[in-house]
């Protein structure tokens, strides 16, 4: 027996099977709810449960606390309906324009750009292309049924190869393979596009692009797509790392800054050593944004990377810099493994 889900305020309705989450059912039905990790580790899909009954699967307390549940909030990526339900959630324009598909891809190139970062380039079938928006991600389908998510670093206009920036997580099921035994011409399978983190092309507001580590990947796609669109919006990229070598495409960013009239680049290092001879900005990358832009009321912010960076930026930009809550777009790099602590 399936249940009916009604979305307020739009009035959209879709069916939800007892064994699927509300978010999965929404994606299947083409209803564009916001989401990020899909595994209970971020809070992108959190909304209000206005009527009906749900139960929540495993999730992080920071994404949905017991207090949140008592206040009527629900985390739709881990929520299963036990009756017809009515939820309150905003729908995201544009995210459902391209179908989510399962596709094969061949590894065309593996380029080690830092000790712990490989740029993987994927060749899709000759007669096929993945339609997606700049900033979205794909999920690799592993043989044991697990999935691993990576943002596409290539802008949609230039998709002959899809590039991904993969950081080595020692002991990681997928990244250990990438760094030790993967080779060119290997075949992988993925599903995508995923996520509601993408360039909002209907705005002319200046953009703050905030990255930590490989969170630079989807922002690279967003920047290149904006340039391709001949956008005149001002873009400022703040890229944070512990050491200078963490900014593995620093030269590209400096080239953009030198050649693009509306682009500005601010690298920020938090743990430089004497051997680094670092003379640039230091400290927390989101604090550098606040120092330079104490009033963000007229901006859009795109933030991607470590959850602590994204969460701190969202809280502080809204609370202290007057950023409208609806103008903060984020993709925190979380995984199902994060649920284990």
């Amino acid at each position: 027996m399936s249940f009916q889900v009604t979305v307020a305020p739009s009035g959209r309705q879709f069916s939800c099977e007892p064994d699927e989450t509300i978010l999965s059912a929404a994606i299947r039905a083409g209803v564009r709810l916001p989401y990020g990790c899909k595994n209970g580790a971020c809070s992108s899909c959190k909304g209000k449960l206005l009527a009906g009954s749900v139960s929540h699967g495993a999730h992080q307390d920071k994404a949905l606390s017991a207090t949140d549940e008592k206040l009527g909030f629900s985390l739709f990526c881990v929520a299963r309906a036990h009756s017809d339900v009515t939820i309150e959630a905003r729908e995201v324009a544009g995210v459902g324009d391209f179908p989510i598909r399962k596709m094969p891809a061949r590894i065309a190139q593996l380029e080690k750009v830092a000790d712990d970062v490989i740029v993987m380039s994927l060749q899709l079938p000759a007669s096929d292309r993945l339609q997606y928006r700049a900033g979205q991600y794909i999920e690799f389908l592993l043989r044991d049924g697990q999935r691993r998510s990576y943002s596409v670093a290539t802008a949609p206009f230039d998709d002959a190869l899809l590039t991904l920036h993969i950081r080595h997580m020692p002991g990681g099921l997928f990244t250990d393979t990438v760094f030790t035994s993967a080779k060119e011409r290997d075949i992988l399978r993925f599903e995508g596009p995923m996520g509601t983190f993408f360039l909002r092309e209907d705005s002319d507001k200046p953009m703050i692009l905030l990255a930590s580590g490989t969170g630079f990947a989807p922002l690279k796609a967003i920047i290149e797509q904006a340039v391709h669109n001949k956008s005149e919006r001002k873009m400022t990229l703040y890229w944070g790392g512990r050491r200078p070598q963490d900014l593995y495409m620093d030269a590209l960013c400096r080239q953009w800054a030198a050649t693009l009239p509306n682009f500005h680049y601010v690298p920020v290092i938090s743990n430089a050593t004497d051997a680094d001879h670092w003379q640039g900005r230091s400290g927390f990358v989101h604090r550098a944004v606040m120092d330079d832009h104490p009033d963000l009321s007229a901006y859009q912010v795109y933030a991607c990377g470590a959850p602590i960076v994204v969460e701190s930026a969202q809280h502080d930009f809204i609370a202290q810099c007057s950023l409208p809550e609806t103008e903060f777009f984020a993709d925190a790099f979380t995984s199902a493994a994060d649920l284990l602590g």
Side-chain angles (χ1 to χ4, degrees):
M1 165 180 185
S2 62
F3 301 110
Q4 181 171 276
V5 179
T6 302
V7 183
S10 71
R12 292 285 298 279
Q13 294 182 326
F14 58 92
S15 64
C16 183
E17 300 299 324
D19 61 347
E20 69 179 338
T21 66
I22 290 175
L23 177 62
S24 294
I27 292 173
R28 174 174 54 78
V31 176
R32 307 160 182 176
L33 302 183
Y35 70 94
C37 69
K38 297 202 306 180
N39 58 40
C42 78
S43 60
S44 297
C45 66
K46 185 164 70 175
K48 272 289 188 76
L49 180 66
L50 301 180
S53 174
V54 303
S55 61
H56 291 101
H59 62 277
Q60 287 200 8
D61 185 69
K62 68 180 181 181
L64 182 75
S65 66
T67 300
D68 288 336
E69 286 196 68
K70 289 179 181 178
L71 292 172
F73 287 97
S74 180
L75 199 63
F76 301 133
C77 69
V78 294
R80 287 176 167 79
H82 296 290
S83 68
D84 292 345
V85 298
T86 300
I87 63 174
E88 182 180 71
R90 61 185 176 87
E91 294 184 53
V92 182
V95 71
D97 292 350
F98 303 130
I100 296 174
R101 307 168 57 199
K102 291 180 179 175
M103 301 180 68
R106 187 186 304 275
I107 297 178
Q109 185 178 20
L110 294 167
E111 179 186 4
K112 197 169 186 180
V113 294
D115 289 343
D116 60 347
V117 178
I118 279 179
V119 173
M120 175 187 286
S121 298
L122 299 177
Q123 176 71 59
L124 300 185
S127 60
D128 215 347
R129 286 290 182 269
L130 176 70
Q131 292 181 296
Y132 63 97
R133 294 190 178 278
Q136 289 188 295
Y137 67 89
I138 62 173
E139 290 185 342
F140 285 114
L141 308 175
L142 307 186
R143 290 182 179 178
D144 62 356
Q146 295 192 57
R147 294 171 175 246
R148 291 295 183 269
S149 304
Y150 291 93
S151 298
V152 180
T154 319
F157 77 89
D158 184 25
D159 65 346
L161 294 176
L162 294 183
T163 61
L164 314 170
H165 299 176
I166 299 176
R167 182 177 297 280
H168 189 204
M169 305 295 291
L173 178 66
F174 182 71
T175 64
D176 272 358
T177 299
V178 171
F179 274 76
T180 59
S181 60
K183 58 187 181 300
E184 293 179 6
R185 301 192 64 77
D186 283 353
I187 300 294
L188 301 172
R189 288 187 59 80
F190 69 83
E191 187 172 26
M194 300 284 188
T196 55
F197 181 73
F198 57 83
L199 174 62
R200 269 57 178 182
E201 298 182 27
D202 58 351
S203 174
D204 60 1
K205 288 187 175 183
M207 295 186 287
I208 299 294
L209 304 150
L210 174 68
S212 71
T214 51
F216 170 69
L219 298 183
K220 174 180 177 289
I222 286 174
I223 293 165
E224 292 179 338
Q225 187 65 39
V227 173
H228 176 74
N229 292 347
K230 295 182 170 54
S231 172
E232 296 183 357
R233 298 171 68 179
K234 292 184 178 180
M235 298 180 286
T236 304
L237 170 66
Y238 289 81
W239 190 4
R242 292 176 56 83
R243 304 278 302 280
Q245 55 265 39
D246 292 332
L247 309 185
Y248 51 87
M249 289 189 174
D250 178 73
L252 173 64
C253 298
R254 294 182 185 276
Q255 178 186 334
W256 287 339
T259 58
L260 301 176
N262 295 323
F263 180 83
H264 186 53
Y265 172 48
V266 183
V268 183
I269 298 301
S270 62
N271 291 85
T273 67
D274 292 341
D276 293 327
H277 304 292
W278 179 250
Q279 297 182 342
R281 300 282 286 275
S282 299
F284 296 126
V285 64
H286 89 283
R287 297 299 307 186
V289 175
M290 297 173 69
D291 289 343
D292 294 348
H293 303 275
D295 182 0
L296 289 170
S297 59
Y299 285 78
Q300 281 189 339
V301 172
Y302 295 82
C304 190
I308 185 63
V309 174
V310 172
E311 292 159 11
S312 298
Q314 182 176 26
H315 177 272
D316 291 352
F317 291 176
I318 293 170
Q320 300 181 40
C321 299
S322 303
L323 177 72
E325 187 173 353
T326 55
E327 299 290 21
F328 185 88
F329 308 103
D331 188 2
F333 281 0
T334 59
S335 71
D338 293 328
L339 298 176
L340 302 178

